[in-house]
Amino acid sequence: MDITPELLLELLVAALIVIGGLFGVVGSYGLAKLPDLMTRLHGPTKATTLGVGGALLASMVYFWARDGFTFHELLVTLFLFLTAPITATMVAKAYLHRAYLDDENGQQALPPTGRRYGWASFDAAPESEGSNPDSVEAPRRADS
Amino acid sequence: MKRVLPHPLLTLTLTVVWVMLLNDLSLGGLLLGLILGILIPLGTRSFWPQRPRLRRPLKIVEYVLVVLWDIVVANVVVARIVLFKPNRKLESHFVTIPLDTRSPEAITVLAGTITMTPGTVSADLSADGRALLVHCLHESDPERARDGIKQRYEARLMEIFE
Amino acid sequence: MIGYALAFGFACFGLALGLNLWRLAKGPTIADRILALDTMVINGIAILMLLGIHFGTATYFEASLLFAMVGFISTVAFTKFVLRGDIIE
């Protein structure tokens, strides 16, 4: 069997698919196996990103070799990289809200903020000027 | 200039995304993307009163490369913990990370980076926006994790944004 | 060879979907179920990309992009509802 560029490309696509599949299944196994929600968050947010990333890269290389340069798969990867942390944080907040808000001692289970104010899921933002993150710096107008 | 282009970076991003969606580098696609990229920021400018300030844009490339490498490492690390570490041996806890940076954009990017990198997920922000609540999957030394995040990511972000 | 790799990939992501379904059914908290749904969407995107390679068509790209957007919006809507009791305030 000769080693041709086609064979190398095929090898690359196959390797990417296999790596992606392995990481995908490990991430979901973590979701099923780990003991509580905060640890379960670690599995899907990381392993699955590389799992989908592998499948997307494989698709990109495959169509690149077949039909010429293509780059729109990068858009899905980019979108997933931007949204995965946001969904993870939102799920964590929903969990903390449910698990700790009704519980009298619950909030003591979280470490202190080291500030005068508590965590944003439980405490209202301070009203006074200068301590709100949006008014820390002088407002920068777009047309200034 | 400022009235036509309230957000030059947003215009650039929208144009690039449009060309990527078309998957074709033609002049017509580029022009339509540019028109959309100018009209959309104009129509939504009242939602974005502030323009993010980038002090050293070239540093972004270095930051993206560092984070991409860390994401690959994070995947392997988390996969090994998930597969080979029994649940009762996990040492997971919450860590508070005091923030030095004041820029809202830098805090957003930092929280996202922490979630994507090894063994840490950011869970909450303090009500005054000056501390992050981070959960570690398996870390015997929380101080080391906190210092690592501050040196590796926050210092770079402060260079970019402030 | 790509055929075998594709079969392996489909098996992996199918198994992953099964594990997510188990977590979705078992819970125990509502946040676990939201997380399971979100992971199912991500695995579904991977399967759509592999289908695109399998059938040799780029049409599945649009489907996966739309699926990614719908999945993200629905996850955020679920969590907003749990947090605030309302989605658009």
Side-chain angles (χ1 to χ4, degrees), chain A residues 110-120, chain B residues 96-98 125-128 130-133:
Chain A
L110 295 176
T113 56
R115 312 277 316 165
R116 266 190 309 135
Y117 304 96
W119 296 109
Chain B
T96 304
I97 297 191
L125 185 70
S126 75
D128 58 355
R130 301 208 177 177
L132 265 180
L133 180 64

Side-chain angles (χ1 to χ4, degrees), chain B residues 8-155:
Chain B
L9 278 177
L10 185 61
T11 304
L12 186 70
T13 314
L14 284 171
T15 313
V16 169
V17 166
W18 181 258
V19 170
M20 283 175 89
L21 267 179
L22 287 180
N23 203 14
D24 183 20
L25 263 179
S26 64
L27 187 64
L30 199 65
L31 272 180
L32 188 55
L34 205 58
I35 292 171
L36 285 175
I38 292 172
L39 286 184
I40 291 176
L42 276 183
T44 57
R45 64 183 305 173
S46 49
F47 298 125
W48 318 61
Q50 298 174 7
R51 178 189 285 184
R53 186 168 45 193
L54 287 179
R55 209 165 51 103
R56 301 176 66 178
L58 284 181
K59 281 266 176 185
I60 293 177
V61 179
E62 184 202 333
Y63 186 76
V64 167
L65 288 179
V66 167
V67 170
L68 277 181
W69 172 247
D70 283 0
I71 288 174
V72 175
V73 174
N75 277 286
V76 178
V77 169
V78 171
R80 278 178 58 185
I81 293 176
V82 165
L83 286 177
F84 301 119
K85 195 145 286 251
N87 281 347
R88 66 196 144 74
K89 281 200 185 160
L90 277 182
E91 298 177 50
S92 54
H93 17 216
F94 286 104
V95 180
T96 304
I97 297 191
L99 293 171
D100 291 324
T101 174
R102 297 266 63 80
S103 148
E105 293 87 17
I107 296 176
T108 312
V109 177
L110 181 67
T113 312
I114 289 172
T115 300
M116 303 297 282
T117 47
T120 46
V121 165
S122 54
D124 210 343
L125 185 70
S126 75
D128 58 355
R130 301 208 177 177
L132 265 180
L133 180 64
V134 170
H135 186 265
C136 296
L137 177 58
H138 180 72
E139 182 62 68
S140 44
D141 185 2
E143 267 86 41
R144 200 183 55 207
R146 188 184 61 205
D147 295 343
I149 287 171
K150 282 188 82 72
Q151 283 164 14
R152 195 167 171 83
Y153 307 120
E154 198 191 6

Side-chain angles (χ1 to χ4, degrees), chain C residues 25-77:
Chain C
K26 189 154 179 286
T29 68
I30 195 159
D32 287 288
R33 297 200 164 92
I34 298 172
L35 185 62
L37 271 178
D38 185 57
T39 317
M40 283 183 99
V41 168
I42 294 181
N43 284 324
I45 295 166
I47 288 185
L48 279 175
M49 298 312 298
L50 294 186
L51 272 179
I53 300 178
H54 181 70
F55 291 120
T57 158
T59 323
Y60 284 91
F61 160 75
E62 270 80 17
S64 54
L65 189 61
L66 286 175
F67 201 33
M69 290 180 175
V70 171
F72 171 63
I73 301 286
S74 56
T75 307
V76 172

Side-chain angles (χ1 to χ4, degrees), chain A residues 28 31-32 40 48 52 66 72, chain C residues 16 20 23 32 42-43 56 61:
Chain A
S28 296
L31 178 69
R40 274 176 213 144
T48 321
V52 179
R66 213 192 56 170
H72 61 186
Chain C
N20 297 341
R23 178 54 69 198
D32 287 288
I42 294 181
N43 284 324
F61 160 75

